[in-house]
Amino acid sequence: MSSARETANEGATIERVMNSFQNPDEKNSDGKVNPTQDNSLRPQDFTSFPGQTRVVENLKVYVSAARGRKQAMDHVILHGPPGLGKTTLAKIIANELHVPFVQTSAPAIEKTGDLAGILAGLEPHSVLFIDEIHRLNIAIEEVLYSAMEDFCVDLTIGQGPSARTAKMNLSPFTLIGATTRLAKLSAPLISRFGIQEHMDFYETDALTLILSRSADILGIELLPEGAEELAKRSRGTPRIANRLLKRIRDYADFDGIKIVDLKLIHRVLERLNIDELGLDHMDRAILEMIQERYNGGPVGIEALAATIGEDKATLEDIYEPFLVHQNLVMRGPRGREVTALAVNHLKKTKSEP
Ligand code: ADP
């Protein structure tokens, strides 16, 4: 079990790395959403949210049923790699339920009183979204148990021998928790989420739609073959797709180019050091390290993190899921191994000028 300080450091490192993956306008270094950000790319309802079909179809049913019964919807946990739309879907759920949306993140809730204050302020049937819910400390988590199950919290008033507890009733609400690490959530907390949905990397088709929609909103003339190529290079992640699109817009504006075609896309991606599989410098460094230093593996995640000089949690949360998804890395009980596909890819990218 890691200490609170280790967990906090781990979280800070992941946020730093995520900032390099995401549009810097999106979140501040403390992980909070920047109020001045361009939110226009965020879909506002289910119909403008491409991809994640199974998850969306399930959520539509639960939203419609809750609206029909005029009750708060059951609590939801959305888990999966960063940048796939967990926050966006949480907002969409609130929009579709026509209820207020209140957003916070676990690192921002420092004391049980902070959480009690948020809960007490919720209007009936509101959605409360807690990002990075795996980072809640245990005392705060325990307050959530009764809040989620019975819509009440036990508060301790006063200190020492004269301290007493008082029950505070809450309005019924829907908690939506988002996490990149379901395994880090305690069993009692997981069991209180009636709806548990996993989000996986997007297929190229869905990302192509997302990019075409974003290009329209941003006023970029993106050719269909350009949208598809960019989709293939976006690590299956809408946040990265939108970020790359914005960088391409910068180059197009700088060079006075009106139409974004394959030529421009290839030139910009090369400048950004992103290869044909969408891998960046760090992804390739990981593959090369396993292949060259550890003879293809297996190598333990701690040893790999130490040799690469990256945080273990960052490797596990941000880099590894995509490499495993692309069948470039295999995860076994003895550690990580590169696949034949990865070895071929490394050979190919190395032999290219
Ligand atoms: P997460 O909470 O999973 O880290 P977000 O919901 O913050 O991800 O999404 C990251 C960015 O990607 C947002 O700017 C959002 O607009 C965009 N995005 C995510 N999913 C989609 C989607 N299905 N369609 C369009 N844009 C999306």
Side-chain angles (χ1 to χ4, degrees):
M1 194 87 179
S2 53
S3 70
R5 184 184 293 264
E6 277 169 356
T7 311
N9 286 342
E10 204 172 76
T13 315
I14 292 172
E15 274 159 18
R16 172 179 55 73
V17 175
M18 272 315 296
N19 284 337
S20 71
F21 270 114
Q22 68 199 13
N23 177 352
D25 310 335
E26 288 271 334
K27 286 185 184 172
N28 296 326
S29 56
D30 60 0
K32 293 188 188 111
V33 173
N34 180 345
T36 63
Q37 80 181 64
D38 176 4
N39 246 333
S40 60
L41 298 184
R42 238 183 237 288
Q44 303 294 321
D45 50 34
F46 285 131
T47 47
S48 50
F49 187 95
Q52 308 293 338
T53 317
R54 189 191 50 76
V55 176
V56 169
E57 290 308 312
N58 286 346
L59 291 174
K60 277 183 186 166
V61 172
Y62 309 139
V63 164
S64 161
R67 279 186 63 182
R69 287 195 296 264
K70 297 190 171 39
Q71 284 177 351
M73 197 174 101
D74 207 348
H75 306 299
V76 184
I77 184 94
L78 297 173
H79 53 103
L84 297 190
K86 296 183 290 298
T87 309
T88 307
L89 264 185
K91 285 187 178 166
I92 289 176
I93 291 171
N95 287 349
E96 298 272 2
L97 285 167
H98 304 304
V99 299
F101 179 77
V102 176
Q103 175 172 4
T104 186
S105 74
I109 307 174
E110 288 174 0
K111 301 187 290 284
T112 52
D114 297 340
L115 179 62
I118 295 171
L119 293 170
L122 292 178
E123 288 176 39
H125 301 184
S126 294
V127 165
L128 170 63
F129 176 65
I130 305 186
D131 202 4
E132 301 182 74
I133 196 159
H134 58 276
R135 290 173 66 187
L136 281 181
N137 77 41
I138 184 66
I140 293 169
E141 206 181 290
E142 280 169 1
V143 173
L144 265 188
Y145 297 162
S146 58
M148 290 171 77
E149 215 155 49
D150 305 318
F151 300 120
C152 68
V153 289
D154 290 319
L155 296 175
T156 307
I157 300 164
Q159 282 180 336
S162 62
R164 59 194 172 84
T165 57
K167 201 177 269 311
M168 176 174 76
N169 288 323
L170 307 169
S171 301
F173 69 100
T174 301
L175 175 65
I176 304 185
T179 180
T180 49
R181 294 197 150 201
L182 191 65
K184 277 214 160 182
L185 255 68
S186 70
L189 185 56
I190 293 182
S191 67
R192 284 170 170 82
F193 288 99
I195 301 169
Q196 307 188 359
E197 293 289 346
H198 174 67
M199 297 179 67
D200 213 337
F201 292 106
Y202 285 64
E203 302 291 340
T204 303
D205 287 359
L207 274 183
T208 307
L209 282 176
I210 292 171
L211 279 159
S212 300
R213 176 180 170 275
S214 298
D216 280 349
I217 295 170
L218 296 171
I220 302 170
E221 199 163 331
L222 175 64
L223 295 180
E225 63 267 30
E228 192 183 338
E229 178 65 3
L230 210 47
K232 285 185 189 149
R233 307 256 206 134
S234 299
R235 292 177 127 255
T237 307
R239 176 178 288 145
I240 295 175
N242 283 340
R243 184 198 130 224
L244 293 180
L245 183 65
K246 287 184 175 180
R247 294 298 69 78
I248 283 166
R249 177 177 63 169
D250 290 342
Y251 278 87
D253 286 351
F254 189 75
D255 290 343
I257 295 172
K258 292 276 171 268
I259 296 175
V260 174
D261 59 6
L262 279 179
K263 194 167 151 230
L264 177 65
I265 289 175
H266 287 152
R267 181 156 65 86
V268 176
L269 292 179
E270 203 179 308
R271 291 282 286 269
L272 297 176
N273 211 352
I274 291 170
D275 69 24
E276 64 183 46
L277 295 184
L279 306 188
D280 68 7
H281 171 74
M282 183 53 108
D283 293 308
R284 286 192 300 273
I286 293 167
L287 297 180
E288 274 165 19
M289 193 63 80
I290 304 178
Q291 168 67 356
E292 286 163 20
R293 177 80 73 97
Y294 297 100
N295 239 340
V299 49
I301 191 79
E302 277 91 2
L304 187 61
T307 14
I308 296 224
E310 193 42 278
D311 184 77
K312 170 176 164 271
T314 306
L315 287 191
E316 283 182 317
D317 279 12
I318 295 178
Y319 293 102
E320 192 177 71
F322 184 68
L323 296 174
V324 171
H325 179 262
Q326 291 299 94
N327 200 16
L328 295 165
V329 167
M330 272 185 325
R331 222 176 357 207
R334 290 170 52 229
R336 278 67 175 166
E337 288 177 64
V338 284
T339 62
L341 202 65
V343 175
N344 282 338
H345 182 66
L346 287 178
K347 266 194 211 142
K348 202 169 147 210
T349 43
K350 272 201 169 163
S351 61
E352 277 166 6

